[in-house]
Every structure is written in structure tokens, then in C-alpha cells.
Amino acid sequence: MFKSFPLVRRRLTAALAMLCMLTMGATMARAEGQLRIAGQYGITFLLLNIAQEQKLIEKHGKQLGVDIKVDWVTLSGGPAINDALLSGNIDIAGAGLGPLLTIWDRTRGRQNVRGVASLGNFPYYLVSNNPKVKTLADLTDKDRIALPAVSVSVQARILQMAVAKQWGDKEFARLDKITQTLPHPDAAAAIIAGGTELTGHFGNSPFQEQELAQNPNAHIILNSYEVQGGPSSSTLLYATEKFRTENPKTYRAFVAALAEAAQYASSNPQGAADIYIKLNKSKVDRNLLLKIFANPQVQFKIAPQNTLGLGQFLHRVNAIRNRPDSWHDYFFDDPAIGQGS
């Protein structure tokens, strides 16, 4: 890995410590009103930041007659999120569409994990700082692409989908060998600094925009929307059927809080930027955040959009066993997300 990025070790240590704390209570009896939520890095998790800062879950819980205690944890990568969910250490998982489809497929008929809501539509850029690389076809074995989790993160799955479109389904994993797992903040630092073996990062906002703004060699070689055929909800929230069934008021309060957070983010970008910087202790340029929020391709909404294509692709290449025929297959029915796709 990159010895020049000690943040990786510190973040992993902190995350493991938090999980150990959560594990201590995992076997204890749980009652309505307890909620443990795991998110990751980036603007794609802004709605969770807003809900946390404004205590929206607690607010909607009180309206339903329940006092909700919320615990928050930040992890990196779908596998870590999925492990925490299945081990009972968290109740709501925040990760990409790829990890959701994977865990939906593997828990069908058992824990029955399904989607709760979207965190919005965001374009993900595959950024390269190698001037020789203009398209996927220019990548060689000397290039290295960072993403949240090799093979299973939504970035990894979208990359596979793009490769399959260019070289055929049988070649979908063609570029997996040059990908490696690295948290977004550390990958962005490497791309901006240059001079490491890492030459690409399939990330999210604001890291991808920081790379483009701070390294003159950084450029986009792939936009996720081009692969998925338009705006898509690639970062989502999901839970087990057991949690939803046994905690109906807590679940309803969470979804209502998320909807309010989406309205706030859409109508008050200045306040949303301040919340993101505060909760993430981010040094990102505030004007850059506002520019990202103003991008018409960025849409804060909780109804998922354009998710089925990736699911059917993963089934086609045998990455998942069950073929989804509708987005309803892997999302819980809820009026709040009734206009999804």
C-alpha cells in the first residue's frame, strides 16, 4: 500500500474501534428507538450528515411517540459495511448499488436485505493523472486505479459494466487486475500529489473535483452516467427485513428524516455546504462544494433512479445468482420512494 498515507491506518483503527463498541451491544436485547447507521466518505452521504446535524431522526421519532438514540459510524467500502450489517453491528447500511445487489442476492430467503432509500443521484468520475490515458483502451498493466473495494464496490461494478460494453460481457473483469482498494480521501491525495504507482481513481464528490482542480494532469476518462444511461442512484441505504419489521416507528422516522434532509440540501446549498464541512472536518474549498451542488447532474432525492440496469448486468455475468426483474425486487415497498426505478 502507500506508506506515505498514514491516514489509512488511523481511519481503519478508528473504524474497528467503533465496531468493537457496537459489537458489545450487538447481542443485547434491542428495543424500538435504537438506530445504528454506517456511512462512508463523500458528498454522496450528505443527507446523512444533515440528518445527524439537525437531529431529524430524533425529531420525527418524537412525532411518532418514540425517543430514538442514533449511533453513527464511518467505514470504507461495501464489504466492511455489509459485514457490519450481517453481524448485527449496524441497522442501516450506506453503500453503493453494487454492494446492495450483492447482499440482496446472498441474503434472499434468509435475512432478506433490501434497499431503504437512495441518497441521491451523483455522477462518478474515473480520473487519471496519466497524460497518455484518454480512454479505458489506453490503460495498461502499469496503471493502478483506486476504488473503495475491488470487484464489489459500485465504482468497481460500473467499471466492469463499461468494460463489458467495450469488449463484451466475457471480458467484464478485464481491468480488475489493475484496481486496488483505497479510501477516497487517500486516493485523492495520491492523484493530486502524483509520483506514486496510483494513476487513477474511480471516486465520488468532492474528491474527484478536488483532483481535477488541483492537478493539471488530472482528467476524466469515464463518467458513470455514460455507462448507466443517464442519472442514476449509485449510493443507497439498506437494511434487513428483521430490523424493518421489528422497528416500524424507528424505520418510518428514519425515512421521513431522510426526505426532509433531501429537501434541505436541494433548497439550501449554503447550509448544506457548512454542514458537510463541519461534520466531516473537511478542508475542501466551500466554493467548490457549492459548484458541485449546482451541477444539474447532482440531484438530492430519496427515490432510487435507474438502478435496474446494473442489477441485470451483474446477473448476466454471473456476479449475482438472482435476476432482478424490477427495482422493487431489491427495495422495500414504501410510499416515500414509490416513484423509483
Side-chain angles (χ1 to χ4, degrees):
M1 295 293 289
F2 298 99
K3 295 181 180 179
S4 57
F5 300 109
L7 282 176
V8 178
R9 179 175 297 175
R10 291 205 298 272
R11 287 195 177 104
L12 288 175
T13 301
L16 287 172
M18 177 63 76
L19 279 177
C20 287
M21 291 174 63
L22 293 174
T23 301
M24 292 174 64
T27 58
M28 297 175 61
R30 292 183 50 75
E32 179 93 86
Q34 295 177 301
L35 184 60
R36 300 161 301 174
I37 304 169
Q40 300 186 59
Y41 301 104
I43 287 173
T44 48
F45 295 91
L46 177 63
L47 300 191
L48 294 183
N49 295 158
I50 294 171
Q52 180 179 1
E53 174 66 14
Q54 298 185 345
K55 298 189 179 301
L56 299 181
I57 301 170
E58 294 89 339
K59 166 188 165 182
H60 285 277
K62 288 184 183 299
Q63 293 174 359
L64 293 171
V66 58
D67 291 324
I68 301 177
K69 180 182 182 298
V70 186
D71 292 317
W72 303 86
V73 60
T74 300
L75 300 173
S76 180
I81 295 285
N82 286 353
D83 287 346
L85 183 66
L86 294 181
S87 64
N89 291 322
I90 61 172
D91 305 305
I92 299 288
L97 177 58
L100 166 59
L101 290 165
T102 298
I103 197 171
W104 163 75
D105 179 62
R106 293 178 181 175
T107 64
R108 195 174 182 187
R110 296 191 294 275
Q111 297 98 327
N112 290 324
V113 173
R114 296 170 76 185
V116 173
S118 167
L119 283 168
N121 297 339
F122 304 91
Y124 294 164
Y125 305 150
L126 174 50
V127 174
S128 174
N129 63 8
N130 182 350
K132 296 179 180 179
V133 175
K134 305 298 183 185
T135 69
L136 293 184
D138 298 322
L139 291 164
T140 72
D141 289 345
K142 294 182 179 180
D143 289 292
R144 290 293 180 271
I145 300 170
L147 33 74
V150 171
S151 299
V152 297
S153 65
V154 67
Q155 287 89 349
R157 293 305 196 188
I158 292 173
L159 179 59
Q160 291 173 345
M161 194 174 181
V163 168
K165 285 187 174 184
Q166 183 151 343
W167 289 292
D169 283 355
K170 291 183 178 179
E171 293 289 321
F172 81 97
R174 180 173 183 161
L175 296 181
D176 284 7
K177 61 186 178 181
I178 65 169
T179 63
Q180 62 186 56
T181 299
L182 196 65
H184 290 313
D186 304 292
I191 292 298
I192 291 169
T196 74
E197 66 174 1
L198 193 68
T199 58
H201 177 209
F202 207 164
N204 65 8
S205 298
F207 307 108
Q208 57 195 19
E209 287 82 7
Q210 288 178 299
E211 293 163 1
L212 295 169
Q214 297 180 40
N215 185 329
N217 288 326
H219 56 282
I220 300 170
I221 64 172
L222 187 69
N223 182 323
S224 64
Y225 281 8
E226 296 171 355
V227 182
Q228 295 174 281
S232 305
S233 303
S234 294
T235 305
L236 310 151
L237 298 163
Y238 46 96
T240 64
E241 184 178 57
K242 177 180 172 66
F243 172 76
R244 183 174 185 263
T245 300
E246 295 182 353
N247 302 273
K249 290 183 179 180
T250 302
Y251 186 94
R252 284 168 54 198
F254 175 72
V255 175
L258 204 65
E260 184 173 340
Q263 292 177 347
Y264 181 87
S266 299
S267 62
N268 192 344
Q270 300 276 351
D274 291 338
I275 288 173
Y276 178 83
I277 291 171
K278 176 183 176 181
L279 286 196
N280 291 279
K281 297 180 174 58
S282 175
K283 296 181 180 179
V284 63
D285 181 76
R286 189 171 183 273
N287 289 329
L288 180 63
L289 282 183
L290 294 174
K291 183 178 179 181
I292 294 170
F293 295 164
N295 181 352
Q297 291 189 332
V298 173
Q299 303 161 351
F300 295 107
K301 54 196 296 187
I302 68 168
Q305 183 176 345
N306 192 21
T307 62
L308 184 59
L310 183 61
Q312 293 186 339
F313 162 73
L314 293 181
H315 177 264
R316 199 168 65 243
V317 298
N318 296 316
I320 59 176
R321 294 168 297 176
N322 297 288
R323 182 184 188 276
D325 295 316
S326 164
W327 69 278
H328 291 287
D329 290 341
Y330 47 87
F331 271 88
F332 292 117
D333 291 329
D334 193 314
I337 62 170
Q339 301 302 312
S341 63

